[in-house]
Amino acid sequence: MLHKLPGTLLLLSLSSSVLQGFTCLSVSTFKKTQVKKLVKACRRKGRNKVLLQETQLTCMYNHISKESDVTSFDLYPPDVLLYYDYSLVPPSLCRAYFTQLGEADFSVFSPALSYKRKTLLVNALRCLGVFNGRLTRDQVEVLGNMCCLLSPPYIRDSDPLILEKLKNCADISSDQVAAVETLLLSGNTPYGAPSVWNLQTLKNLETLPLYLTSAFFEKFDSGVLRNNGVSKQKIRQFKRETKRSLQRRSKTTFCTVGNITQVTISDPAFPFDYDDITQFEVCLSPQTVKDNLAAITDKVLEEEYLIIVLSKLREAYMAHSTIAESQVKLLGPASRVASTTDINMWNISEIDTLSALMDSSNGEWEQSLLRAIIRKYLSITGNKLGSAELNSLGGANLCTLDISNLSSISTQSIKDADALEISNCTTEMKKVLFALAKLAFSTTARSTAVPASTYQLLKSFLRRPREAGAPLSFIQELSTSNVNMDMSTFTSLDENVVLSLTVSEVQGLLGSNLIELKSYENQTLVQSWIRLQPQSQLDTLAIGLTGG
């Protein structure tokens, strides 16, 4: 978090990770000129880009919106431009605005403000004079990342440069994928006709193959991916789509392509020689799995194959009834296809093992299985939900526990743990955790106002769609504490608490973020609150709200 703002030269030398600590609360005591310099310092590209969330971006815009050079769009982070009031952009400068906006990440919009994407696209096409569903190379260049918002006809009929812009998309819809494939299969792109596609084609397409279907992959020779240079995700997609297309399944019950050994596994081509799942099963022995588990789970990616790997591992340890902890740590993505039978055989007594199983890069856990893992860990004498365990579990996983487990957490563990995102917890769970957190972070003696540091530590415990653990009295305390609450947190508070707040209390709560209340006026909770307020009170906010 930024507590003190350095000079201009030092600002430019600050790391991106430090600048990511920008919050309305942290800069509330800075001069306007200092905040403006800080916002400008956050304009970085490529690997040095400062990754900012919506609450930070709206706060930044609120601080610079009244500056004389607000139309110098190249001075500020492109993502901040997402929240500009477009009516203030002179028509003569609209192209300059959208050129800079084209570098923004359009996925940062929260659901409540997602409507802005469509509005921005409509304004951009109007600015560029596009009315026929086809974009020139120059227009594609201006739109940049906004190409991710285009409908299939635009993708299919526009200049092929659009493919390069789509590589930056956080996600691509199935309809957009179909348009991308149509464009690629036409042969009228820099990637040439399908007949000349090879391994280099896949590499050049970067992330796009992650979305494409068998209509694309079936154009490749079956051996084109036998190279370590292709990512695991691309290999998985290739295998899934080519198998779906070719539908190859052998009924042979004995190994015909060669037993799987350590040498086989170390081959870059493994497991492509075993694209017949029956052959993979009959050629893989339990002992081979036991001796090479880490190497196998690093290369075998498809669920149906991983299920076989786990089955072989169970068989290898059947005589012992318990699978060694050293092996459990190596399960990786295979752990996510486990059954209750598998978990019952796992030895889970060390925090390192629990952490390995909780590694989010291996995928999400099915709740009942996750609960079984945590219970097994806690069943070991001496194990508890300390700060290390809380950091390992994280918020979402923590919410699968029983109330009795949560109640056993000490305030010191909460205090020593990293911030926990617990928005998926039930109301009862949230109230238990909030009570613990408030006790952990409260000072022994203080005035009515809540210290900024305490609010920052408790912030993650306030978030909860519709219902939260923070009572009205505490939120009212915050309204007098200059915390500049962001709208994301505000709309996550207990509905009954929000509806009980007065106009002046909301004004005190939001502080410099008050102007954002207008952008959220159609959000259900905000709309309900507005309707309860006298118009004379809303008028004092001077942001154009119309209520009861």
Side-chain angles (χ1 to χ4, degrees):
M1 186 186 298
L2 294 163
H3 295 290
K4 184 178 180 181
L5 193 64
T8 302
L9 291 178
L10 286 178
L11 269 176
L12 297 176
S13 65
L14 286 177
S15 68
S16 296
S17 60
V18 171
L19 291 173
Q20 284 170 201
F22 183 104
T23 66
C24 273
L25 180 61
S26 64
V27 300
S28 59
T29 59
F30 297 167
K31 294 180 179 179
K32 288 185 177 180
T33 54
Q34 293 178 310
V35 178
K36 184 178 175 182
K37 290 177 182 179
L38 180 59
V39 173
K40 289 181 178 180
C42 289
R43 181 181 170 84
R44 299 181 182 181
K45 299 181 179 181
R47 293 184 178 180
N48 292 323
K49 180 177 179 179
V50 182
L51 300 179
L52 299 166
Q53 298 177 350
E54 183 172 81
T55 53
Q56 297 168 301
L57 297 168
T58 54
C59 176
M60 286 180 170
Y61 177 62
N62 293 338
H63 276 285
I64 66 172
S65 59
K66 296 181 181 179
E67 297 295 329
S68 59
D69 61 355
V70 70
T71 55
S72 299
F73 309 118
D74 58 345
L75 295 179
Y76 304 106
D79 290 0
V80 172
L81 303 184
L82 293 167
Y83 301 92
Y84 262 48
D85 181 351
Y86 185 66
S87 66
L88 300 180
V89 177
S92 61
L93 295 179
C94 73
R95 181 184 173 91
Y97 168 72
F98 286 113
T99 297
Q100 295 299 322
L101 184 67
E103 298 181 25
D105 177 6
F106 289 80
S107 68
V108 301
F109 281 122
S110 65
L113 298 185
S114 60
Y115 69 89
K116 289 181 176 287
R117 290 195 194 98
K118 183 177 180 180
T119 303
L120 285 170
L121 181 59
V122 169
N123 288 330
L125 296 178
R126 184 180 294 119
C127 170
L128 296 176
V130 179
F131 304 104
N132 59 1
R134 182 174 299 175
L135 300 170
T136 65
R137 185 177 185 84
D138 175 66
Q139 290 166 338
V140 170
E141 195 67 70
V142 172
L143 290 179
N145 294 342
M146 197 179 291
C147 290
C148 300
L149 310 181
L150 292 170
S151 61
Y154 277 103
I155 295 173
R156 187 176 59 243
D157 300 330
S158 295
D159 188 274
L161 177 65
I162 200 168
L163 293 175
E164 307 312 308
K165 304 304 179 183
L166 293 175
K167 291 176 182 179
N168 298 325
C169 300
D171 195 17
I172 302 177
S173 71
S174 58
D175 289 341
Q176 289 176 316
V177 167
V180 168
E181 289 184 338
T182 298
L183 181 56
L184 282 170
L185 293 172
S186 72
N188 298 319
T189 74
Y191 302 100
S195 59
V196 300
W197 290 350
N198 53 28
L199 176 62
Q200 192 58 46
T201 305
L202 274 182
K203 291 182 178 180
N204 292 342
L205 284 169
E206 299 178 18
T207 58
L208 287 181
L210 299 179
Y211 303 96
L212 304 182
T213 69
S214 57
F216 168 79
F217 284 105
E218 66 187 8
K219 302 300 181 182
F220 289 85
D221 178 83
S222 61
V224 75
L225 297 184
R226 299 184 180 190
N227 185 294
N228 282 329
V230 182
S231 73
K232 290 181 180 180
Q233 286 180 304
K234 289 181 181 178
I235 292 174
R236 185 185 304 181
Q237 179 75 349
F238 174 80
K239 293 292 290 179
R240 183 187 301 119
E241 294 296 344
T242 51
K243 285 204 303 177
R244 183 180 298 163
S245 175
L246 300 176
Q247 295 181 334
R248 291 179 295 179
R249 278 289 186 270
S250 169
K251 295 182 179 180
T252 306
T253 57
F254 55 90
C255 184
T256 61
V257 296
N259 290 323
I260 298 174
T261 65
Q262 182 179 9
V263 174
T264 311
I265 298 168
S266 64
D267 191 312
F270 180 79
F272 286 109
D273 285 338
Y274 300 87
D275 55 354
D276 183 322
I277 192 169
T278 304
Q279 282 297 296
F280 179 80
E281 182 171 16
V282 297
C283 295
L284 181 65
S285 71
Q287 190 62 44
T288 298
V289 171
K290 181 179 180 181
D291 296 340
N292 303 275
L293 184 59
I296 291 175
T297 55
D298 182 57
K299 289 190 171 185
V300 177
L301 304 172
E302 293 180 82
E303 288 187 4
E304 53 191 346
Y305 283 71
L306 290 172
I307 290 172
I308 292 173
V309 171
L310 283 185
S311 175
K312 298 288 183 177
L313 186 64
R314 281 199 310 270
E315 190 176 341
Y317 281 90
M318 196 61 70
H320 306 283
S321 73
T322 301
I323 295 177
E325 193 145 14
S326 58
Q327 293 280 67
V328 177
K329 294 176 183 178
L330 303 177
L331 289 173
S335 62
R336 300 310 193 264
V337 299
S339 63
T340 304
T341 302
D342 291 308
I343 294 174
N344 287 339
M345 292 185 66
W346 294 352
N347 189 350
I348 312 173
S349 63
E350 302 173 5
I351 182 61
D352 287 349
T353 309
L354 183 64
S355 297
L357 289 172
M358 294 302 112
D359 187 346
S360 60
S361 67
N362 293 318
E364 298 295 323
W365 275 105
E366 196 277 312
Q367 286 202 356
S368 62
L369 298 179
L370 177 62
R371 201 173 292 118
I373 289 172
I374 299 173
R375 284 174 178 168
K376 185 148 193 174
Y377 175 80
L378 294 176
S379 69
I380 304 298
T381 302
N383 284 353
K384 61 180 181 179
L385 291 175
S387 58
E389 285 79 3
L390 294 179
N391 290 340
S392 175
L393 293 174
N397 293 336
L398 191 65
C399 294
T400 65
L401 298 181
D402 298 328
I403 291 294
S404 59
N405 294 132
L406 298 180
S407 300
S408 69
I409 301 174
S410 69
T411 55
Q412 190 62 43
S413 294
I414 290 283
K415 191 172 184 178
D416 293 340
D418 298 333
L420 299 171
E421 174 53 60
I422 54 176
S423 60
N424 291 327
C425 285
T426 65
T427 304
E428 188 178 3
M429 289 178 175
K430 189 66 182 289
K431 289 182 177 179
V432 168
L433 290 170
F434 177 77
L436 287 170
K438 187 179 180 184
L439 185 61
F441 298 126
S442 294
T443 53
T444 54
R446 60 174 174 82
S447 61
T448 303
V450 179
S453 58
T454 299
Y455 166 69
Q456 203 64 34
L457 291 167
L458 284 171
K459 187 176 176 182
S460 64
F461 294 91
L462 300 177
R463 297 176 179 272
R464 169 67 181 166
R466 295 184 300 279
E467 298 171 332
L472 175 62
S473 58
F474 183 76
I475 300 302
Q476 288 173 324
E477 286 182 45
L478 290 180
S479 71
T480 64
S481 303
N482 192 32
V483 296
N484 296 299
M485 181 178 285
D486 58 78
M487 286 301 300
S488 176
T489 302
F490 179 74
T491 55
S492 298
L493 297 176
D494 186 317
E495 180 178 358
N496 294 324
V497 168
V498 172
L499 298 182
S500 299
L501 295 173
T502 65
V503 169
S504 61
E505 286 171 339
V506 168
Q507 184 175 22
L509 201 59
L510 300 180
S512 62
N513 290 318
L514 177 66
I515 192 173
E516 287 304 308
L517 197 61
K518 176 66 176 176
S519 296
Y520 280 76
E521 64 180 335
N522 292 323
Q523 196 265 357
T524 303
L525 179 57
V526 174
Q527 193 175 69
S528 298
W529 177 81
I530 292 174
R531 287 173 177 168
L532 292 175
Q533 311 311 312
Q535 186 61 49
S536 59
Q537 291 295 308
L538 292 175
D539 289 342
T540 64
L541 300 179
I543 57 175
L545 297 180
T546 302

